[in-house]
Amino acid sequence: QVQFVESGGGQVQPGGSLRLSCAASGSIFSPYVMGWYRQAPGKSRELVASIARGGITNYEDSVEGRFTISKDYAKRTMYLEMNSLRPEDTAIYYCNVDVPGRQMSWGPGTQVTVSG
């Protein structure tokens, strides 16, 4: 079973930037689509961005143009570059497989706090 560990979160001022990392370990796997999710207090977890094997990406409307998802296959690591951060981006960010019925156990997530 693959395990995910997220890192790179922190507190930044509005307009700031962060790069999140998602390291995978354990069983070898190659899902068609991977995604970054986030969950804010009192809200359900939502998909923020996804990336398919061919590099095709999709973004939630509110982060389009501000966030960039990428993968380093050699390092088995996925990234989320976040720019022009807003207070509403504050949440715990997670990574996982973005394929129905194929998601793995959730990792610990990494906290992103945007406040000035």
Side-chain angles (χ1 to χ4, degrees), residues 29-49:
F29 80 110
S30 185
Y32 284 103
V33 189
M34 286 286 295
W36 279 98
Y37 301 76
R38 67 185 179 188
Q39 185 169 27
K43 298 183 178 180
S44 60
R45 184 152 35 208
E46 65 174 346
L47 179 66
V48 175

Side-chain angles (χ1 to χ4, degrees), residues 1-4 22-34 53 71 73 76 96-98 102 104:
Q1 176 84 318
V2 68
Q3 299 178 72
F4 300 114
C22 170
S25 63
S27 301
I28 298 174
F29 80 110
S30 185
Y32 284 103
V33 189
M34 286 286 295
R53 286 182 182 177
K71 290 188 69 176
Y73 292 95
R76 299 188 71 191
N96 212 323
V97 179
D98 184 28
R102 302 296 179 86
M104 303 291 104

Side-chain angles (χ1 to χ4, degrees), residues 94-109:
Y94 304 86
C95 59
N96 212 323
V97 179
D98 184 28
V99 178
R102 302 296 179 86
Q103 290 193 320
M104 303 291 104
S105 298
W106 296 100

Side-chain angles (χ1 to χ4, degrees), residues 75-113:
K75 295 182 178 180
R76 299 188 71 191
T77 302
M78 184 171 66
Y79 304 96
L80 184 67
E81 180 73 34
M82 305 184 295
N83 300 309
S84 301
L85 284 162
R86 306 166 180 170
E88 54 263 41
D89 294 319
T90 296
I92 300 175
Y93 284 71
Y94 304 86
C95 59
N96 212 323
V97 179
D98 184 28
V99 178
R102 302 296 179 86
Q103 290 193 320
M104 303 291 104
S105 298
W106 296 100
T110 185
Q111 177 72 49
V112 172
T113 301

